[in-house]
């Protein structure tokens, strides 16, 4: 049998971190993680099964989260069995690990940020609240109070807890939606002068504050509308091909030139769509129909590689999921090589 050296003319590299850039066919050993890795080319966009969320065998729905497919976080929501709303977990790309509990339960909230700089605000527990929590990957601390009545189902985005946006939302008592946008600087919330063009809540959104997008949601009916934000103004984007509603806290990830929205409540509950900055195109179908997915996330809004965890199945008697689906975009991808 030919060896890697025979084929490539060089030995497998022994590195303390993954190299960058890499090319398809390249193989290396990461001594920090003790894993053999390689670069392959993915032929088409795909969804695949990820890790199961522990201790919630009957599922989790309407939880918050963020991070990336290999460094994610998930928290709150309706957690079954027991109905707890304060547990949290972290994800390493393979399995979920129990983390520190929230100081108080939350569901139907806004969330954004990577695993070491997460942000959680608004929501209900069980009543609408103004509390904000910041996450450093291990502990939760109180942040600035959310200033408005738009506490339920806000759409969140931002690269970190020091540069986040809360868009739209539904107040108490529930109106059909709001147009207000708020900015968070790591200490306090402030009214953003650039409101949404139309009232919106319960949709998906992501991206850094200068490349933010939102799509789908309800306000008051299922929507195919989408908008992009460049830091100074909102622009109407092409409509999605199907409506995506009840996505909170956000079944979608990416930036304005490379975004994905998926699932929802209704006949389009397993459809995912990709946005290239100009139009939406129907992409790979999710294996699990779900809405109120626990998290759709990317590396701080930088790529459409991401994950969805938990959620509810749209049926006459909804069930709740403890499963994770991971999304991989077509093109070069780094994989772990195993001998099994």
């Amino acid at each position: 049998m030919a060896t890697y050296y025979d084929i490539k003319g060089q030995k497998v590299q022994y590195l303390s971190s993954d190299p960058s850039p890499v090319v398809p066919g390249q193989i290396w050993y990461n001594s920090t993680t003790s894993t053999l890795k390689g670069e392959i080319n993915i032929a088409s966009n795909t969804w695949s099964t990820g890790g199961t969320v522990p201790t919630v065998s009957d599922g989790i729905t309407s939880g918050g989260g963020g991070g990336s497919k290999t460094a994610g976080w998930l928290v709150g929501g309706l957690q079954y069995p027991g109905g707890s709303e304060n547990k949290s977990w972290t994800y390493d790309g393979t399995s979920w690990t129990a983390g520190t509990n929230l100081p108080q339960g939350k569901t139907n909230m806004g969330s954004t940020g990577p695993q070491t700089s997460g942000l959680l605000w608004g929501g209900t527990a069980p009543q609408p609240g103004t509390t904000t929590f910041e996450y450093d990957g291990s502990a939760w601390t109180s942040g600035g109070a959310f200033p408005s009545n738009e506490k339920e189902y806000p759409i969140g985005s931002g690269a970190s807890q020091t540069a986040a946006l809360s868009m739209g939302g539904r107040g108490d008592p529930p109106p059909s939606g709001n147009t207000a946008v708020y900015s968070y600087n790591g200490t306090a919330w402030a009214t953003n002068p650039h409101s949404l063009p139309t009232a919106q809540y319960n949709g998906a959104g992501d991206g850094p504050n200068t490349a933010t997008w939102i799509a789908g949601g309800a306000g008051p009916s299922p929507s195919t509308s989408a908008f992009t934000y460049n830091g100074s103004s909102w622009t109407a984007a092409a409509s999605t091909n199907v409506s995506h509603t009840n996505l909170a806290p956000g079944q979608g990830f990416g930036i304005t030139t490379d975004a994905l929205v998926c699932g929802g409540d209704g006949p389009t509950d397993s459809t995912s769509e990709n946005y290239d900055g100009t139009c939406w195109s129907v992409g790979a179908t999710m294996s699990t129909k779900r809405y109120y997915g626990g998290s759709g996330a990317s590396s701080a809004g930088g790529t459409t590689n991401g994950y969805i965890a938990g959620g509810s199945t749209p049926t006459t008697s909804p069930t709740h999921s403890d499963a994770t689906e991971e999304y991989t975009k077509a093109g070069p991808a780094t994989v772990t090589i195993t001998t099994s």
Side-chain angles (χ1 to χ4, degrees):
M1 179 183 292
T3 65
Y4 181 77
Y5 182 85
D6 294 331
I7 297 171
K8 299 293 290 185
Q10 60 184 9
K11 296 180 179 179
V12 175
Q13 294 176 291
Y14 188 92
L15 305 171
S16 60
S17 61
D18 293 342
S20 180
V22 291
V23 296
Q26 185 174 353
I27 294 176
W28 66 96
Y29 181 80
N30 186 315
S31 60
T32 301
T33 59
S34 299
T35 52
L36 181 64
K37 293 188 173 183
E39 191 75 1
I40 64 173
N41 190 66
I42 304 296
S44 60
N45 300 336
T46 58
W47 288 96
S48 59
T49 301
T52 299
V53 183
T55 72
V56 287
S57 56
D58 292 332
I60 175 174
T61 187
S62 298
S68 69
K69 192 166 66 171
T70 56
W73 58 276
L74 180 66
V75 66
L78 298 174
Q79 303 165 358
Y80 304 96
S84 174
E85 299 171 347
N86 68 343
K87 293 184 177 69
S88 73
W89 302 267
T90 57
Y91 193 56
D92 62 5
T94 302
S95 59
W96 290 95
T97 302
T100 306
N101 286 353
L102 274 175
Q104 70 180 62
K106 273 186 176 290
T107 187
N108 302 338
M109 73 291 276
S111 63
T112 193
Q115 193 180 77
T116 56
S117 186
L119 192 68
L120 198 70
W121 67 93
T124 56
Q127 301 300 318
T130 62
T131 307
T132 296
F133 290 112
E134 300 174 0
Y135 187 56
D136 64 3
S138 60
W140 296 94
T141 55
S142 296
F146 193 55
S148 79
N149 189 43
E150 293 90 299
K151 303 178 185 73
E152 286 189 290
Y153 308 115
I155 304 168
S157 72
S160 72
Q161 63 193 207
T162 60
L165 293 177
S166 178
M167 302 165 286
R170 187 177 72 175
D172 183 35
S176 59
N178 293 281
T179 61
V181 176
Y182 300 93
S183 303
Y184 192 70
N185 62 6
T187 303
W189 291 96
T191 301
N192 188 297
H194 310 117
S195 299
L196 294 174
T198 61
Q200 191 57 276
Y201 68 95
N202 224 340
D206 197 13
N209 291 0
T210 56
T212 294
W213 62 274
I214 63 171
S221 58
S223 175
T224 59
S225 63
F227 300 92
T228 59
Y229 180 63
N230 62 8
S232 59
S233 63
W234 290 93
T235 301
S239 298
T240 58
N241 294 280
V242 297
S243 62
H244 300 270
T245 190
N246 292 347
L247 303 182
Q251 290 188 191
F253 32 82
I255 59 176
T256 51
T257 56
D258 186 10
L260 178 142
V261 63
C262 57
D265 187 4
T268 59
D269 41 40
S270 60
T271 301
S272 64
E273 298 190 57
N274 302 92
Y275 186 66
D276 62 5
T278 302
C279 62
W280 293 92
S281 58
V282 174
T285 300
M286 301 177 73
S287 60
T288 303
K289 298 179 179 181
R290 70 179 81 205
Y291 64 104
Y292 290 148
S295 177
S298 61
S299 289
T303 171
T304 49
N305 289 330
Y307 70 91
I308 302 293
S312 299
T313 301
T315 63
T316 54
S317 299
T319 57
H320 311 295
S321 174
D322 60 359
T324 301
E325 281 194 73
E326 300 178 357
Y327 182 81
T328 302
K329 184 182 178 182
T334 299
V335 297
T336 299
I337 301 172
T338 63
T339 57
S340 59

